[in-house]
Amino acid sequence: MGKPILRVNKKFYEAKLLRRYSRFLLEVNLNNSTKRVYLANPGGLSTVLRKGRKVLLLKAKKDRRKSLYDVFAVKVKSFWVTVQSTLANRIFEAAVKEGYLAPFKGCRVIKKEVKVKGYGVIDFLLRRNGKPVFVEVKSCTHVEDGTAKFPDKPTGRGRRHVEKLIEYASHGFNCWIVFVVQRPDAEKFKPFWKVDKRFAESLNLASKTGVGIVAFTTEFKPTQNTIFMVKPSIPILLKNSLGESF
């Protein structure tokens, strides 16, 4: 099963997926009634969102929006895929604190959402032996034939994150891009060239300029209200054996 990373001490409501109503809304059947529920993930989710699949919902804060429920996970085959993209940051932070990720052994989380002038924010500032470590975390839910791919929709914002880490690494800083695969069935990771070639090229350049890249897989077990670490590291494939882009 793997090691426990994060407890989710919430009450879940099971529903059946009807359709994706809009970018951030799903229509589900909950207790024989059609509801629109909030999906905190702008990605394509083409391997996750299918009509008839079971969905786990959480009650939303009443004063936040019209939707009364948030989508937490979708059942694919025999396992649950967590679909809240911001959850990836919580998973990463917990995994670092537990010491589950080899590249971050001895690191402490110093600050989250670090503001960078003229750029925006970087997800995490860690520190190891007095030296800073900058980390960008990406949520990945797209898996085909055992291969996790990111992004599943074009992401100019994601590319800019990579470019900023390349710049930092060129100045001697320790920088990492972490892909949290929020499902257990991935055996390897590669950028989704077909969807966003520019992001894939940036990721290749990052790997050549000293930016570390790591991907790990997780699984949510509703019976235990816990997210588990499945594989703390899976192979990163940036180019094929002929040196050509996928």
Side-chain angles (χ1 to χ4, degrees), residues 180-230:
V180 179
V181 184
Q182 293 176 224
R183 53 192 289 176
D185 57 332
E187 300 292 334
K188 54 193 174 185
F189 170 89
K190 66 182 179 183
F192 209 157
W193 286 89
K194 184 178 179 180
V195 168
D196 194 333
K197 182 181 177 182
R198 293 183 67 187
F199 178 88
E201 290 173 339
S202 294
L203 198 63
N204 269 275
L205 179 60
S207 71
K208 295 175 182 177
T209 54
V211 178
I213 303 171
V214 65
F216 66 91
T217 60
T218 64
E219 182 173 9
F220 175 61
K221 293 285 189 179
T223 55
Q224 300 176 60
N225 278 28
T226 301
I227 296 171
F228 291 87
M229 174 76 74
V230 178

Side-chain angles (χ1 to χ4, degrees), residues 23-62:
R23 189 182 185 193
F24 292 109
L25 289 175
L26 299 184
E27 277 191 353
V28 302
N29 183 301
L30 177 64
N31 298 326
N32 296 317
S33 177
T34 299
K35 303 285 187 183
R36 289 177 185 170
V37 294
Y38 182 69
L39 174 68
N41 192 321
L45 297 168
S46 62
T47 63
V48 178
L49 300 180
R50 302 280 174 83
K51 183 178 179 180
R53 283 182 171 170
K54 293 180 180 179
V55 178
L56 289 182
L57 308 175
L58 293 171
K59 274 280 184 72
K61 293 181 180 180
K62 292 181 180 180

Side-chain angles (χ1 to χ4, degrees), residues 61-79:
K61 293 181 180 180
K62 292 181 180 180
D63 60 347
R64 188 168 55 179
R65 67 178 85 90
K66 292 181 180 179
S67 173
L68 297 178
Y69 296 92
D70 293 335
V71 183
F72 183 79
V74 178
K75 193 169 188 180
V76 177
K77 301 176 183 178
S78 61
F79 55 83

Side-chain angles (χ1 to χ4, degrees), residues 4 15 33-34 51 119 121 123-124 131 152 170 191 193 201 217 222:
S33 177
T34 299
K51 183 178 179 180
Y119 161 70
V121 297
D123 286 330
F124 287 94
K131 296 182 180 181
D152 65 352
S170 71
W193 286 89
E201 290 173 339
T217 60

